[in-house]
């Protein structure tokens, strides 16, 4: 049994012994409890000598060393002096660090980083939530809690010495040195922006928990042998550690005898207050009948962790209104660099409370994020992630879930390459196990903003596909997505006929790590590291063995789902070997046939048909005596133009079918699909209209009036359908018509309205005769 505590020496009570300047005996007792009361001790011991307070260090340093790292420390009264030494091959732009951790894995760690950037030295205090770049404990004071800092490099050794305060209360994630921790070591490069880059394989961990206290002057060290009591003390087991991730949500836990410690992290949070992030224990992968743990920040600011019961779609009440945090203790909440961290202990079970999730059983875990009501109640979530598997929080063998893949070292860069075309770009670095990628659409971001996320960014995505050919289908796709100012990088797979889905539905980010998404002034850019191959994962594109065409597209995002990208696709000119040095280029998908289709249709309907209608409507009166082979000129011209229109339409239809490889446009491309439906109906009606023209009855026939009505109605309907189809065509991204397309359509629309209007006015003004007008 180990008990750590701090004792206040400033109490004014006369019975309170002040340890700052007194010589005292120390007595130790051990005994059983009766409820919470002390019974008579079964053993008592006292020091044989007087102890002089305060106890001071004997200047004996403790030490811990690995191949490239050594750490020495000695405890003082209120702080601990550290000396970190690291073997280095560089003299500039690198970092070295050690961290205090509850386990041997990186994540939920308090670290101190020694940095050398632009020949300047710095020692800063960080907190690491997991796989992503650690955050400063304080942006305003990067060296919070650190003093007496000295850094130098000599003979290939970086020496970094400083004093660290044992504890700073009210600073989230500042670890108290009275506890034992695993010590983690790492080092890595610093990029041109001053940001710490991945440590790669340069990381180590102590084998056991380390006691940082070194007040070990033997004169003041008291040891006693403790006899067994009649009732043996409760034994504890080694904590079981697990983790589950879904996109921006991650949940870590440590299992103890009666409780479980949870650390709940939500990344890419764009709010400072009035929001909640929650996870729930559910019997299935759907929301409803769930025990909800909600971490909340109000505007005061007020920080709370409270327990709700989710009945389904109605408002979620508290599990117990009179005890809103029932079963929850030791809470710690922080919000830093858009990362919301919430840690606490939960009692495993409570049989007296209805709907209290018994954590000795298996549960699905659901995640949600949303705004708080004025009374700190939960409103409808704006983001939700359903569970994918049942989790046993007590299973020794189930230590991780979605992120169960062991991260192999990234390794040294062996080659580099880049691709650029039509505003799209992708650069990569090849290592043994990974491909490190940076790419996007638009100009490369400025150095100062490279790692900053723009607020109010448009909901959009840019995607990088690996394909065996230049066609869409059977492709691995890395999708960099920005939705509600939250960036994600996901691994998709495209069959070619439907919207791409996740490569592995229960693990959307499979093979992806160290991801960042940035949107600056409409330019979407992302960085990610992709594992080259994953054995046993079907359809995962293997960059160790195969070469691929690179396809890059961009599009919009709606309800967190990517929308069809249209035809703005850039494809590499050749298959790319990502393992060799090289510069590659490509081109946009050929749109010659599509534009030929548009030109033919515009000629047929915006020129031929509209001209034919105007000739039939007005020129029988404007040129009443002009004839060709005893037939009116206007009728000849009208008939030729109207016959020419469906002939051109059929030709244009065959051209666009050939461009689509004789397949109908997919429904997922909503605008293009609607355009195709209007177009095919238009072609059908135009053929019927021509057929009716050939079957026109004589002027004196009884059905001639009916024919005139039907013929005019069909003709006007064709024109309306053509106008709608043309306007839809301008919206098709592949055409990239822009202002030119809108100029043609708007100009034609004005012409087809103004010209008939002017003719009507001219007829009224010049002839003043009703007989001339229809």
């Amino acid at each position: 049994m180990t008990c750590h505590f701090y004792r206040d020496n400033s109490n004014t009570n006369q019975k309170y012994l002040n340890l700052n300047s007194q010589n005292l005996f120390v007595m130790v007792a051990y005994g059983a409890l009766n409820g919470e009361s002390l019974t008579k001790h079964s053993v008592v011991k006292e020091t044989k000598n007087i102890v002089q307070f305060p106890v001071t260090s004997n200047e004996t340093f403790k030490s811990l060393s690995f191949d490239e790292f050594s750490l020495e420390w000695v405890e003082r009264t209120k702080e601990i002096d550290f000396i970190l030494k690291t073997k280095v091959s560089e003299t500039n732009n690198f970092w070295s660090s050690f961290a205090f951790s509850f386990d041997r894995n990186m994540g939920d760690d308090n670290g101190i980083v020694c940095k050398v950037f632009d020949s300047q030295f710095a020692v800063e205090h960080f907190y690491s939530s997991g796989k992503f770049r650690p955050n400063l404990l304080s942006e305003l004071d990067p060296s919070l809690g650190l003093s007496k800092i000295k850094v130098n490099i000599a003979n290939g050794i970086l020496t970094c010495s400083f004093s660290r305060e044992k504890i700073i209360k009210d600073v989230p994630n500042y670890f108290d040195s009275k506890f034992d921790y695993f010590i983690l070591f790492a080092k890595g490069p610093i990029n041109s922006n001053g940001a710490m880059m991945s440590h790669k394989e340069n990381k180590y961990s102590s084998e056991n928990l380390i006691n940082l206290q070194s007040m070990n002057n033997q004169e003041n060290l008291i040891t006693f042998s403790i006899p067994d009591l009649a009732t043996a003390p409760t034994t504890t087991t080694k904590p079981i550690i697990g983790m589950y991730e879904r996109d921006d949500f991650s949940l870590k836990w440590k299992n103890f005898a009666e409780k479980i410690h949870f650390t709940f992290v939500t990344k890419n949070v764009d709010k400072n207050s009035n929001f909640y992030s929650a996870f729930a224990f559910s019997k299935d992968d759907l929301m409803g009948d769930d025990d909800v743990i909600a971490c909340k920040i109000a505007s005061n600011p007020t920080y709370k962790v409270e327990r709700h019961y989710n009945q389904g779609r109605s408002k979620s009440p508290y599990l117990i209104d009179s005890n809103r945090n029932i079963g929850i203790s030791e809470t710690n909440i922080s919000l830093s660099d858009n990362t919301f961290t919430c840690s606490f202990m939960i009692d495993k079970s409570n049989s007296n409370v209805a709907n209290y999730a018994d954590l000795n059983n298996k549960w699905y875990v659901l995640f949600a994020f949303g705004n708080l009501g004025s009374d700190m109640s939960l409103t409808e979530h704006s983001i939700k992630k359903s569970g994918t598997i049942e989790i046993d929080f007590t299973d020794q063998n189930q230590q991780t879930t979605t992120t169960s893949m062991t991260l192999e070292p990234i390794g040294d860069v062996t080659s580099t390459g880049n691709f650029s075309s039509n505003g799209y770009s992708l650069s990569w670095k090849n290592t043994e196990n990974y491909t490190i990628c940076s790419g996007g659409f638009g100009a490369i971001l400025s150095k100062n903003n490279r790692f900053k996320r723009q607020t109010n960014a448009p909901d959009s995505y840019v995607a990088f596909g690996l394909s065996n050919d230049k066609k869409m289908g059977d492709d691995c796709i890395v999708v960099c997505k920005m939705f509600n100012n939250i960036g994600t990088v996901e691994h998709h797979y495209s069959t070619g006929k439907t919207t791409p889905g996740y490569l592995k539905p229960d693990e959307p980010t499979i093979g992806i790590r160290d991801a960042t998404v940035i949107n600056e002034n409409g330019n979407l850019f992302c960085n990610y590291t992709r594992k080259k191959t994953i054995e046993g994962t079907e359809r995962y594109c293997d960059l160790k063995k195969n070469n691929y065409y690179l396809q890059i597209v961009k599009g919009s995002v709606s309800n967190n789902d990517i929308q069809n990208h249209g035809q703005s696709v850039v494809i590499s000119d050749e298959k790319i070997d990502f393992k060799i040095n090289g510069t590659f280029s490509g081109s946009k998908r050929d749109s010659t046939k599509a534009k030929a289709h548009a030109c033919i249709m515009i000629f047929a309907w915006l020129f031929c048909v509209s001209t034919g209608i105007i000739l039939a409507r007005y020129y029988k009166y404007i040129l009443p005596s002009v004839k060709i082979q005893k037939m009116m000129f206007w009728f000849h011209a009208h008939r030729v133009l109207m016959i020419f229109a469906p002939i051109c339409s059929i030709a244009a239809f065959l051209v666009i079918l050939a461009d689509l490889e004789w397949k109908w446009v997919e429904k997922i491309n909503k605008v293009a699909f609607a355009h195709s439906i209007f177009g095919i109906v238009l072609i059908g009606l135009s053929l019927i209209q021509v057929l009716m023209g050939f079957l026109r009855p004589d002027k004196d026939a009884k059905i001639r009036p009916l024919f005139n009505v039907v013929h005019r109605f069909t003709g006007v309907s064709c024109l309306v359908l053509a106008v709608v189809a043309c306007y839809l065509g301008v919206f098709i991204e592949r055409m990239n018509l822009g202002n030119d397309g809108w100029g043609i359509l708007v100009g034609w629309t004005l012409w087809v309205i103004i010209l008939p209007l002017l003719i009507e006015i001219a007829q009224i003004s010049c002839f003043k005769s009703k007989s001339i007008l229809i």
Side-chain angles (χ1 to χ4, degrees), residues 6 55-57 59 61 73-82 100 145-149 162-168 174 176-178 212-215:
Y6 288 102
V55 179
T56 59
S57 170
E59 295 299 326
F61 279 77
W73 68 93
V74 63
E75 185 183 22
R76 310 293 182 188
T77 303
K78 296 183 178 181
E79 57 195 18
I80 297 178
D81 292 344
F82 288 95
F100 309 123
L146 308 178
S147 60
K148 305 175 188 175
I149 294 172
F162 54 88
S163 295
R164 178 187 184 273
E165 293 184 42
K166 292 180 178 179
I167 181 62
I168 299 181
Y174 193 110
D176 190 339
S177 62
K178 71 182 180 182
L212 295 172
Q213 296 178 327
S214 58
M215 297 289 198

Side-chain angles (χ1 to χ4, degrees), residues 54-116:
V55 179
T56 59
S57 170
N58 62 358
E59 295 299 326
T60 299
F61 279 77
K62 287 187 175 182
S63 64
L64 183 66
S65 62
F66 293 95
D67 292 343
E68 300 177 335
F69 301 91
S70 71
L71 181 67
E72 300 177 3
W73 68 93
V74 63
E75 185 183 22
R76 310 293 182 188
T77 303
K78 296 183 178 181
E79 57 195 18
I80 297 178
D81 292 344
F82 288 95
I83 302 174
L84 173 65
K85 296 182 180 181
T86 311
K87 294 179 181 179
V88 295
S89 57
E90 307 89 351
T91 58
N92 198 13
N93 297 335
F94 67 91
W95 59 270
S96 179
S97 75
F98 70 93
F100 309 123
S101 178
F102 293 108
D103 52 49
R104 300 187 66 198
N105 301 313
M106 292 202 170
D108 193 18
D109 314 318
N110 179 193
I112 295 95
V113 178
C114 301
K115 302 170 70 174
V116 184

